[in-house]
Amino acid sequence: MLDGKKTLFSGMQATGNLTLGNYLGALKNWVTISDEYQTFFSVVDMHSITVRQDPAELRKRARMLLTLYIAAGLDPEKNCIYYQSHVSGHAELSWILSCFTYMGELSRMTQFKDKAAKHADNINAGLFTYPVLMAADILLYQADVVPVGIDQMQHLELTRDIAFRFNNIYGDVFTVPEAYIGKAGAKIMSLQEPKKKMSKSDENPNGSIYLMDDPDTVIRKFKRAVTDSEASVRYRDEQPGIKNLIDIYCACTGKTPQETEREFDGKGYGDFKMAVGEAVVSVLKPLQDRYKDLSGNKDYLDGIIKANAEKAQYLSNKTLRKVQKKIGFPEKIR
Ligand code: ATP
Ligand code: LTN
């Protein structure tokens, strides 16, 4: 608890271009609830290298992501927005926590299984211990709340288990965090394969809406979205494509699925897809405009990056010192 507020931590990987799924499932919720908490929003570039990255590209994407956090509405004076790799405590705590995490637990992680299947030529140890680094991110700041999309729930459960385990041995060292899953947009599916989540690392660009897509591209992708032959806008599991479009429409307009069904009662998929496309464009346009303004302002961004990394380093050190002491590392002579 800092400044009488509870603490919130979240992060995104600097891999690929952010999608509408990342925005509706995570970033948008961050903005909505950030005022109520002392917040840390990290660009988790250390997680990104579990998959091979081009160095120049990673650097560029990390900066893009950090800028997007701000463009989406997170005030960097109030929210600690920083690069994970600028704060040494993440790696240090991760090592310690890896000695409190079982191989069996890590082998059960579905993200690991998915990514291992996808990158069979590079199943590195970092990919396996990825969730431990994520636990370190969260526990380092004693976060109470972690807003993520529903696909990250399993990692959050593991984080809680590690925290409980550690606290049981050493006393109340870590706050045990809760996940925060937003109501609308918890899991946005691919426009081409509505049973698969929309993902920034998807090879088919038509399945994903990227936050930087221009209006024509957005409309075109929605027109091509895979639906079904029922020809009725109904919110039901048997129509996964339409259900996903309704979820997107609701997340962008604030309407409920029932209101949407009524609004498009008797209308064809063409009209509905157009309306969803327009709703998305009206959400993306202001974000893209702010992004353009910000990315031209190098000095401002550099100032934010420096100040927030220092703040995160300072605050995370408190937890790290406590942990090191508890487990019996010798104290540094100062
Ligand atoms: P990758 O495809 O590279 O694994 P990703 O698109 O799944 O990436 P992450 O960086 O792993 O994105 O996730 C960032 C945040 O966005 C997480 O909180 C995650 O839960 C959320 N998120 C990702 N995809 C979706 C989606 N399709 N619907 C809702 N939330 C999502
Ligand atoms: N694994 C997360 C990204 C992430 C994260 C975190 C999210 C890394 N560390 C800490 C919340 C809290 C993902 O979204 N793929």
Side-chain angles (χ1 to χ4, degrees):
M1 186 94 74
L2 285 159
D3 300 339
K5 285 182 174 176
K6 287 190 165 183
T7 303
L8 178 157
F9 185 98
S10 202
M12 273 191 210
Q13 297 188 73
T15 40
N17 287 321
L18 280 217
T19 69
L20 189 63
N22 300 129
Y23 180 69
L24 298 178
L27 196 47
K28 185 165 178 272
N29 294 322
W30 296 2
V31 179
T32 313
I33 63 170
S34 60
D35 273 352
E36 298 162 39
Y37 297 92
Q38 158 89 14
T39 62
F40 296 87
F41 295 109
S42 186
V43 170
V44 294
D45 47 357
M46 288 160 66
H47 279 101
S48 304
I49 63 163
T50 52
V51 170
R52 201 68 72 227
Q53 303 288 334
D54 173 72
E57 193 65 18
L58 176 59
R59 202 170 294 121
K60 194 177 99 192
R61 288 196 193 286
R63 188 153 176 123
M64 258 182 97
L65 185 54
L66 187 130
T67 311
L68 265 174
Y69 285 3
I70 306 172
L74 293 171
D75 178 351
E77 310 279 346
K78 294 191 188 140
N79 301 280
C80 188
I81 294 175
Y82 72 100
Y83 296 121
Q84 184 189 32
S85 63
H86 283 191
V87 177
S88 56
H90 292 259
E92 291 178 73
L93 184 60
S94 183
W95 168 253
I96 295 170
L97 297 183
S98 72
C99 301
F100 293 85
T101 309
Y102 299 112
M103 301 284 285
E105 289 175 310
L106 294 173
S107 322
R108 283 195 288 277
M109 296 293 121
T110 54
Q111 183 176 298
F112 169 70
K113 290 191 239 175
D114 292 350
K115 298 247 157 160
K118 212 163 158 188
H119 304 277
D121 55 334
N122 181 22
I123 306 177
N124 59 72
L127 196 62
F128 191 64
T129 57
Y130 177 115
V132 182
L133 178 58
M134 177 160 166
D137 298 342
I138 297 166
L139 301 181
L140 199 50
Y141 299 93
Q142 306 286 357
D144 299 277
V145 178
V146 184
V148 280
I150 212 155
D151 61 299
Q152 292 300 311
M153 204 56 208
Q154 201 185 22
H155 289 162
L156 242 305
E157 285 299 333
L158 178 65
T159 303
R160 289 167 55 86
D161 289 346
I162 296 172
F164 272 125
R165 188 170 301 149
F166 199 94
N167 286 351
N168 262 330
I169 306 173
Y170 300 103
D172 273 343
V173 177
F174 294 124
T175 302
V176 180
E178 302 274 348
Y180 173 97
I181 312 277
K183 282 185 278 302
K187 195 164 187 186
I188 301 297
M189 311 310 277
S190 156
L191 299 185
Q192 290 298 313
E193 294 171 74
K195 289 190 172 154
K196 228 178 76 181
K197 81 162 186 166
M198 184 181 285
S199 158
K200 51 182 146 67
S201 52
D202 195 340
E203 284 107 50
N204 182 355
N206 289 323
S208 302
I209 300 289
Y210 299 106
L211 295 191
M212 290 298 153
D213 277 350
D214 60 53
D216 289 347
T217 309
V218 172
I219 301 286
R220 179 175 50 77
K221 286 183 181 175
F222 276 106
K223 276 189 182 160
R224 285 200 196 163
V226 169
T227 50
D228 52 60
S229 53
E230 301 264 336
S232 68
V233 178
R234 301 263 309 279
Y235 193 72
R236 37 189 225 125
D237 292 340
E238 293 76 10
Q239 293 175 256
I242 287 295
K243 187 169 185 237
N244 186 38
L245 295 185
I246 295 178
D247 277 332
I248 294 174
Y249 187 69
C250 292
C252 291
T253 59
K255 293 178 186 170
T256 64
Q258 292 68 34
E259 285 166 344
T260 309
E261 284 182 343
R262 258 179 267 133
E263 187 179 348
F264 292 94
D265 189 27
K267 296 199 177 128
Y269 285 171
D271 287 348
F272 178 52
K273 285 176 166 182
M274 196 65 193
V276 182
E278 280 166 0
V280 169
V281 167
S282 64
V283 166
L284 296 189
K285 182 76 175 56
L287 194 145
Q288 293 173 350
D289 291 347
R290 277 196 300 272
Y291 177 84
K292 265 182 220 131
D293 281 351
L294 279 165
S295 50
N297 203 338
K298 182 176 180 304
D299 291 346
Y300 170 73
L301 283 178
D302 286 349
I304 297 292
I305 290 168
K306 181 167 184 289
N308 280 334
E310 281 167 5
K311 182 176 166 194
Q313 180 76 32
Y314 173 76
L315 292 172
S316 61
N317 253 335
K318 293 189 178 183
T319 305
L320 191 63
R321 290 248 174 84
K322 194 168 166 189
V323 170
Q324 289 169 332
K325 198 167 167 195
K326 288 278 182 189
I327 53 179
F329 288 174
E331 245 178 278
K332 276 190 192 144
I333 313 292
R334 288 175 204 282

mmCIF file of all heavy atoms in Angstrom, residues 267-285:
data_model
loop_
_atom_site.group_PDB
_atom_site.id
_atom_site.type_symbol
_atom_site.label_atom_id
_atom_site.label_comp_id
_atom_site.label_asym_id
_atom_site.label_seq_id
_atom_site.Cartn_x
_atom_site.Cartn_y
_atom_site.Cartn_z
ATOM 1 N N LYS A 267 -31.582 -7.556 -39.723
ATOM 2 C CA LYS A 267 -30.577 -7.009 -40.656
ATOM 3 C C LYS A 267 -29.557 -8.095 -41.040
ATOM 4 O O LYS A 267 -29.379 -9.072 -40.312
ATOM 5 C CB LYS A 267 -29.845 -5.833 -40.019
ATOM 6 C CG LYS A 267 -30.779 -4.662 -39.745
ATOM 7 C CD LYS A 267 -30.021 -3.367 -39.560
ATOM 8 C CE LYS A 267 -30.984 -2.218 -39.367
ATOM 9 N NZ LYS A 267 -30.710 -1.424 -38.180
ATOM 10 N N GLY A 268 -28.884 -7.897 -42.161
ATOM 11 C CA GLY A 268 -27.936 -8.900 -42.645
ATOM 12 C C GLY A 268 -26.549 -8.736 -42.018
ATOM 13 O O GLY A 268 -26.268 -7.738 -41.345
ATOM 14 N N TYR A 269 -25.682 -9.706 -42.272
ATOM 15 C CA TYR A 269 -24.322 -9.643 -41.739
ATOM 16 C C TYR A 269 -23.535 -8.467 -42.311
ATOM 17 O O TYR A 269 -22.660 -7.915 -41.648
ATOM 18 C CB TYR A 269 -23.580 -10.950 -42.029
ATOM 19 C CG TYR A 269 -23.999 -12.124 -41.162
ATOM 20 C CD1 TYR A 269 -23.556 -13.413 -41.437
ATOM 21 C CD2 TYR A 269 -24.826 -11.936 -40.049
ATOM 22 C CE1 TYR A 269 -23.923 -14.492 -40.640
ATOM 23 C CE2 TYR A 269 -25.210 -13.008 -39.255
ATOM 24 C CZ TYR A 269 -24.751 -14.278 -39.552
ATOM 25 O OH TYR A 269 -25.106 -15.331 -38.761
ATOM 26 N N GLY A 270 -23.837 -8.108 -43.572
ATOM 27 C CA GLY A 270 -23.126 -6.990 -44.210
ATOM 28 C C GLY A 270 -23.263 -5.716 -43.380
ATOM 29 O O GLY A 270 -22.261 -5.052 -43.073
ATOM 30 N N ASP A 271 -24.501 -5.380 -43.007
ATOM 31 C CA ASP A 271 -24.747 -4.165 -42.207
ATOM 32 C C ASP A 271 -24.041 -4.254 -40.862
ATOM 33 O O ASP A 271 -23.430 -3.297 -40.384
ATOM 34 C CB ASP A 271 -26.257 -4.010 -41.910
ATOM 35 C CG ASP A 271 -27.022 -3.591 -43.150
ATOM 36 O OD1 ASP A 271 -26.360 -3.209 -44.136
ATOM 37 O OD2 ASP A 271 -28.270 -3.668 -43.134
ATOM 38 N N PHE A 272 -24.159 -5.425 -40.267
ATOM 39 C CA PHE A 272 -23.582 -5.580 -38.932
ATOM 40 C C PHE A 272 -22.057 -5.454 -38.971
ATOM 41 O O PHE A 272 -21.450 -4.725 -38.166
ATOM 42 C CB PHE A 272 -23.997 -6.936 -38.336
ATOM 43 C CG PHE A 272 -23.396 -7.191 -36.971
ATOM 44 C CD1 PHE A 272 -23.519 -6.255 -35.949
ATOM 45 C CD2 PHE A 272 -22.693 -8.371 -36.717
ATOM 46 C CE1 PHE A 272 -22.941 -6.481 -34.692
ATOM 47 C CE2 PHE A 272 -22.127 -8.600 -35.470
ATOM 48 C CZ PHE A 272 -22.247 -7.657 -34.465
ATOM 49 N N LYS A 273 -21.434 -6.118 -39.945
ATOM 50 C CA LYS A 273 -19.967 -6.057 -40.039
ATOM 51 C C LYS A 273 -19.493 -4.617 -40.246
ATOM 52 O O LYS A 273 -18.489 -4.186 -39.678
ATOM 53 C CB LYS A 273 -19.481 -6.921 -41.202
ATOM 54 C CG LYS A 273 -19.518 -8.411 -40.914
ATOM 55 C CD LYS A 273 -19.116 -9.159 -42.163
ATOM 56 C CE LYS A 273 -18.800 -10.611 -41.891
ATOM 57 N NZ LYS A 273 -18.371 -11.314 -43.115
ATOM 58 N N MET A 274 -20.241 -3.877 -41.051
ATOM 59 C CA MET A 274 -19.901 -2.473 -41.316
ATOM 60 C C MET A 274 -19.966 -1.668 -40.009
ATOM 61 O O MET A 274 -19.067 -0.869 -39.710
ATOM 62 C CB MET A 274 -20.926 -1.936 -42.333
ATOM 63 C CG MET A 274 -20.521 -0.675 -42.980
ATOM 64 S SD MET A 274 -19.045 -0.980 -43.995
ATOM 65 C CE MET A 274 -18.595 0.692 -44.282
ATOM 66 N N ALA A 275 -21.024 -1.922 -39.227
ATOM 67 C CA ALA A 275 -21.195 -1.188 -37.966
ATOM 68 C C ALA A 275 -20.064 -1.519 -36.991
ATOM 69 O O ALA A 275 -19.547 -0.638 -36.290
ATOM 70 C CB ALA A 275 -22.549 -1.521 -37.335
ATOM 71 N N VAL A 276 -19.667 -2.785 -36.956
ATOM 72 C CA VAL A 276 -18.573 -3.171 -36.049
ATOM 73 C C VAL A 276 -17.285 -2.466 -36.495
ATOM 74 O O VAL A 276 -16.563 -1.873 -35.681
ATOM 75 C CB VAL A 276 -18.347 -4.713 -36.033
ATOM 76 C CG1 VAL A 276 -17.250 -5.076 -35.045
ATOM 77 C CG2 VAL A 276 -19.626 -5.451 -35.683
ATOM 78 N N GLY A 277 -17.028 -2.501 -37.813
ATOM 79 C CA GLY A 277 -15.836 -1.845 -38.361
ATOM 80 C C GLY A 277 -15.805 -0.366 -37.994
ATOM 81 O O GLY A 277 -14.773 0.154 -37.544
ATOM 82 N N GLU A 278 -16.945 0.305 -38.143
ATOM 83 C CA GLU A 278 -16.982 1.742 -37.835
ATOM 84 C C GLU A 278 -16.787 2.012 -36.341
ATOM 85 O O GLU A 278 -16.114 2.970 -35.959
ATOM 86 C CB GLU A 278 -18.300 2.347 -38.324
ATOM 87 C CG GLU A 278 -18.251 2.613 -39.824
ATOM 88 C CD GLU A 278 -19.606 2.891 -40.456
ATOM 89 O OE1 GLU A 278 -20.624 2.890 -39.736
ATOM 90 O OE2 GLU A 278 -19.617 3.114 -41.686
ATOM 91 N N ALA A 279 -17.353 1.135 -35.521
ATOM 92 C CA ALA A 279 -17.187 1.307 -34.061
ATOM 93 C C ALA A 279 -15.705 1.177 -33.700
ATOM 94 O O ALA A 279 -15.177 1.932 -32.869
ATOM 95 C CB ALA A 279 -18.017 0.275 -33.312
ATOM 96 N N VAL A 280 -15.028 0.233 -34.342
ATOM 97 C CA VAL A 280 -13.611 0.027 -34.049
ATOM 98 C C VAL A 280 -12.784 1.223 -34.540
ATOM 99 O O VAL A 280 -11.915 1.721 -33.820
ATOM 100 C CB VAL A 280 -13.106 -1.307 -34.665
ATOM 101 C CG1 VAL A 280 -11.590 -1.418 -34.599
ATOM 102 C CG2 VAL A 280 -13.755 -2.488 -33.951
ATOM 103 N N VAL A 281 -13.096 1.695 -35.741
ATOM 104 C CA VAL A 281 -12.363 2.850 -36.281
ATOM 105 C C VAL A 281 -12.505 4.046 -35.322
ATOM 106 O O VAL A 281 -11.529 4.742 -35.036
ATOM 107 C CB VAL A 281 -12.874 3.233 -37.697
ATOM 108 C CG1 VAL A 281 -12.343 4.595 -38.119
ATOM 109 C CG2 VAL A 281 -12.459 2.160 -38.702
ATOM 110 N N SER A 282 -13.692 4.238 -34.781
ATOM 111 C CA SER A 282 -13.867 5.419 -33.920
ATOM 112 C C SER A 282 -13.123 5.274 -32.585
ATOM 113 O O SER A 282 -12.818 6.263 -31.927
ATOM 114 C CB SER A 282 -15.346 5.760 -33.714
ATOM 115 O OG SER A 282 -15.952 4.715 -33.026
ATOM 116 N N VAL A 283 -12.812 4.049 -32.207
ATOM 117 C CA VAL A 283 -11.981 3.844 -31.010
ATOM 118 C C VAL A 283 -10.493 4.033 -31.352
ATOM 119 O O VAL A 283 -9.727 4.622 -30.581
ATOM 120 C CB VAL A 283 -12.230 2.431 -30.410
ATOM 121 C CG1 VAL A 283 -11.173 2.060 -29.393
ATOM 122 C CG2 VAL A 283 -13.614 2.354 -29.775
ATOM 123 N N LEU A 284 -10.097 3.541 -32.525
ATOM 124 C CA LEU A 284 -8.666 3.575 -32.881
ATOM 125 C C LEU A 284 -8.160 4.952 -33.310
ATOM 126 O O LEU A 284 -7.006 5.309 -33.046
ATOM 127 C CB LEU A 284 -8.363 2.569 -34.001
ATOM 128 C CG LEU A 284 -8.565 1.092 -33.673
ATOM 129 C CD1 LEU A 284 -8.024 0.214 -34.792
ATOM 130 C CD2 LEU A 284 -7.889 0.722 -32.356
ATOM 131 N N LYS A 285 -9.022 5.720 -33.962
ATOM 132 C CA LYS A 285 -8.591 6.992 -34.544
ATOM 133 C C LYS A 285 -7.940 7.928 -33.505
ATOM 134 O O LYS A 285 -6.800 8.372 -33.702
ATOM 135 C CB LYS A 285 -9.803 7.643 -35.250
ATOM 136 C CG LYS A 285 -9.526 8.942 -35.941
ATOM 137 C CD LYS A 285 -8.767 8.715 -37.267
ATOM 138 C CE LYS A 285 -8.553 9.970 -38.074
ATOM 139 N NZ LYS A 285 -7.880 11.073 -37.417
#
